[in-house]
């Protein structure tokens, strides 16, 4: 087994983590600064409160109700350049922005594998959200099947593809429950060289299908192995807010390594603060490459 790998996203021209602490984070997306909760930030802030008060929008939670308090002049959505792609940023009722910047290192990892493979690679991206991984894989030259259970997220992903100049790339955009879709792909005999997944702790498919990671994850992974080609290139499993260790995800890749060889990495995804250099933990991952 390998040691833990710390993957960090460093400050970018259109994105930086300005500060974090005391259960919050302060980020700049292009010209606009957002202040929102982050339970991982269990330390003191570096910047004074007056800097935090300059935020263009603040996410507020009062019991079960949530809202963004937005300063005048802050648009409902705006575009940024990130990781050689373009994204629409739109603060949502669930405190998200449409972009998970900590994933940049993963995008670069599988993009390099695709480019160096010397063959046509087909990638299945499950729980694809607003399309960051899909766009990175497509730009690297892969054919991609993007699956998400949210019509809003799927439309957002397609808008990001158009914004990034990738609308003509070979991407299938599928609105479906991930488990149901994989079962149908097995029956259809479709196979993929690369597999990306970011399973939530809890969620629903478009027809109300229930997903609970503690119940659904293992049978889901069993199915996913059946849609891999005989010589797959990579498998990437991301974890966010599920409470599990990267070791748990790594253990699910060991049989694949035993069968096909290759290399496994596991660890934490982080974002580096622009001034202090401190790292904010943002999720876990395990990834296998052949």
């Amino acid at each position: 087994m390998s040691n833990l790998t710390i993957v960090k996203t460093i400050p970018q021209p259109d994105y930086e983590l300005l500060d974090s602490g005391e259960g919050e984070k302060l980020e700049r997306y292009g010209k606009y600064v957002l202040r929102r909760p982050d339970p991982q930030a269990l330390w003191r802030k570096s910047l004074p409160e007056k800097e935090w008060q300059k935020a263009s929008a603040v996410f507020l939670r009062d019991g079960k109700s949530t809202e963004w308090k937005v300063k005048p002049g802050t648009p409902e959505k705006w575009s940024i350049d990130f990781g050689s792609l373009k994204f629409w940023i739109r603060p949502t009722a669930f405190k998200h922005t449409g972009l998970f910047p900590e994933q940049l290192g993963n995008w670069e990892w599988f993009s390099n594998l695709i480019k160096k493979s010397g063959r046509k690679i087909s990638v299945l991206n499950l729980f694809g959200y607003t399309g960051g991984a899909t766009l990175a894989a497509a730009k690297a030259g892969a054919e991609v099947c993007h699956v998400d259970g949210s019509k809003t997220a799927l439309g957002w992903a397609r808008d990001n593809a158009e914004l990034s100049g990738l609308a003509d790339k070979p991407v299938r955009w599928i609105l479906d429950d991930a488990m149901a879709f994989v079962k149908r792909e097995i029956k259809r005999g479709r196979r993929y060289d690369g597999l990306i997944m970011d399973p939530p702790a809890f969620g629903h498919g478009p027809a109300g299908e229930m997903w609970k990671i503690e119940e659904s994850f293992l049978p889901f992974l069993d199915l996913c192995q059946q849609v891999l080609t005989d010589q797959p290139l990579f498998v990437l499993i991301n974890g966010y807010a599920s409470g599990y260790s990267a070791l748990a995800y790594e253990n699910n890749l060991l049989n694949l390594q035993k069968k096909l060889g290759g290399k496994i990495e596991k660890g934490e995804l982080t974002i580096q603060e622009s001034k202090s250099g401190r790292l904010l933990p943002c999720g876990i991952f395990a990834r296998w490459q052949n």
Side-chain angles (χ1 to χ4, degrees), residues 125-136:
N125 183 16
L126 299 162
F127 311 98
Y129 192 45
T130 56
T134 292
L135 301 186

Side-chain angles (χ1 to χ4, degrees), residues 14-275:
D14 261 5
Y15 172 81
E16 60 179 322
L17 176 63
L18 300 170
D19 193 18
S20 62
E22 299 162 47
E24 293 186 287
K25 58 185 173 184
L26 190 68
E27 301 164 288
R28 179 180 62 81
Y29 292 84
K31 296 191 298 182
Y32 304 99
V33 174
L34 303 182
R35 178 177 183 171
R36 52 187 176 138
D38 194 311
Q40 292 286 345
L42 191 63
W43 48 79
R44 293 296 179 189
K45 296 170 180 174
S46 296
L47 297 178
E49 178 61 22
K50 66 179 182 179
E51 293 299 319
W52 284 73
Q53 290 177 358
K54 294 177 182 178
S56 310
V58 182
F59 186 85
L60 301 174
R61 180 183 285 119
D62 183 12
K64 291 186 177 181
S65 66
T66 62
E67 67 169 331
W68 283 92
K69 185 177 180 182
V70 181
K71 287 184 177 177
T74 305
E76 181 182 329
K77 69 173 185 176
W78 63 96
S79 65
I80 68 166
D81 295 322
F82 184 79
S84 76
L85 300 165
K86 293 180 183 291
F87 295 90
W88 286 110
I89 301 302
R90 184 190 305 136
T92 73
F94 299 101
K95 85 175 180 179
H96 298 311
T97 65
L99 176 67
F100 288 96
E102 65 272 13
Q103 289 291 340
L104 181 59
N106 274 334
W107 302 347
E108 293 171 343
W109 171 77
F110 64 67
S111 292
N112 287 332
L113 292 176
I114 292 167
K115 291 174 183 176
K116 291 178 181 177
S117 69
R119 58 190 173 104
K120 197 66 176 179
I121 299 298
S122 59
V123 174
L124 177 59
N125 183 16
L126 299 162
F127 311 98
Y129 192 45
T130 56
T134 292
L135 301 186
K139 186 165 186 178
E143 295 179 350
V144 188
C145 181
H146 174 108
V147 182
D148 198 272
S150 164
K151 187 175 181 180
T152 299
L154 196 71
W156 198 337
R158 297 188 77 155
D159 289 344
N160 284 336
E162 185 173 351
L163 187 66
S164 295
L166 300 172
D168 61 343
K169 293 293 184 180
V171 178
R172 295 165 60 211
W173 304 100
I174 307 293
L175 176 66
D176 204 347
D177 174 72
M179 182 94 73
F181 178 78
V182 171
K183 287 178 180 177
R184 283 195 291 273
E185 290 292 83
I186 292 169
K187 289 182 179 179
R188 286 188 282 249
R190 279 214 172 105
R191 300 292 181 264
Y192 297 88
D193 303 299
L195 182 61
I196 303 166
M197 68 178 76
D198 197 347
F202 178 82
H204 292 93
E209 302 93 339
M210 179 74 73
W211 171 276
K212 291 183 178 180
I213 195 165
E214 64 273 18
E215 298 173 7
S216 308
F217 184 62
L218 293 182
F220 181 66
L221 277 186
D222 291 341
L223 291 169
C224 286
Q225 291 195 34
Q226 297 179 55
V227 295
L228 289 174
T229 58
D230 292 336
Q231 291 296 321
L233 183 64
F234 70 88
V235 175
L236 168 62
I237 309 173
N238 289 298
Y240 173 77
S242 61
Y244 292 107
S245 163
L247 280 166
Y249 282 1
E250 179 193 39
N251 287 342
N252 281 287
L253 296 175
L254 292 175
N255 283 340
L256 193 60
Q257 185 184 43
K258 185 177 180 180
K259 178 182 175 183
L260 296 172
K263 173 185 175 184
I264 295 176
E265 286 182 284
K266 62 170 181 304
E268 291 198 39
L269 300 171
T270 69
I271 303 174
Q272 185 179 61
E273 287 181 6
S274 53
K275 293 181 173 60

